[in-house]
Amino acid sequence: AGVFIFLYFKNEFILLAFLRLRKQDFDGAKKWLDKIKNPEAALVKKQQGYYSYLHGIMTMQDNMNESEKHFKKAIALGLSMKHDLAMAKLNLAGIAFSKRRKREAQQLLTEA
């Protein structure tokens, strides 16, 4: 019964994507996240935050604008663990610094 309660609060596709990211398998993580067809309807608010957080991590190498959008959405929706929130803000600070927005980057670093 504990497994079912755990999976109610944590989406299994998001957990599997986290496991793939841990092994630096970005394609495998993307495959698991793509199985969630409509995240707004299928996931609760915190899960949507982690969905956006994972997309932000995966798009960081290719498209910084898209990654910034995902990280901001993840912060707005909320992340349940403080270290995940700090990592999202740290990544946003790096993006802001690379776009020469020093004041915004400094504020995000302070918050992180």
Side-chain angles (χ1 to χ4, degrees):
V3 171
F4 295 112
I5 292 171
F6 178 73
L7 290 177
Y8 175 75
F9 292 106
K10 302 287 186 187
N11 187 286
E12 62 274 5
F13 293 128
I14 292 175
L15 291 173
L16 291 169
F18 265 119
L19 289 174
R20 288 293 179 187
L21 276 180
R22 219 170 180 205
K23 296 178 181 180
Q24 300 294 318
D25 181 14
F26 290 101
D27 293 331
K30 182 161 178 45
K31 182 184 83 169
W32 283 112
L33 283 180
D34 288 342
K35 291 187 184 243
I36 302 172
K37 299 297 179 198
N38 188 3
E40 286 79 22
L43 304 173
V44 296
K45 189 176 178 182
K46 295 278 185 183
Q47 290 174 348
Q48 289 176 23
Y50 276 101
Y51 180 82
S52 294
Y53 175 68
L54 287 172
H55 271 291
I57 290 172
M58 290 187 300
T59 58
M60 188 90 168
Q61 301 294 327
D62 302 328
N63 189 349
M64 290 180 93
N65 292 329
E66 177 112 7
S67 182
E68 181 180 16
K69 180 183 78 166
H70 286 298
F71 281 128
K72 284 184 178 181
K73 186 175 179 182
I75 291 171
L77 289 170
L79 299 170
S80 57
M81 296 191 169
K82 290 182 181 179
H83 64 273
D84 291 333
L85 184 61
M87 279 301 298
K89 288 183 179 184
L90 187 64
N91 285 325
L92 265 178
I95 292 169
F97 188 71
S98 70
K99 291 182 175 183
R100 301 186 189 277
R101 297 188 311 228
K102 185 178 177 183
R103 187 172 297 153
E104 180 183 348
Q106 184 65 37
Q107 179 186 4
L108 286 165
L109 281 174
T110 303
E111 291 175 11

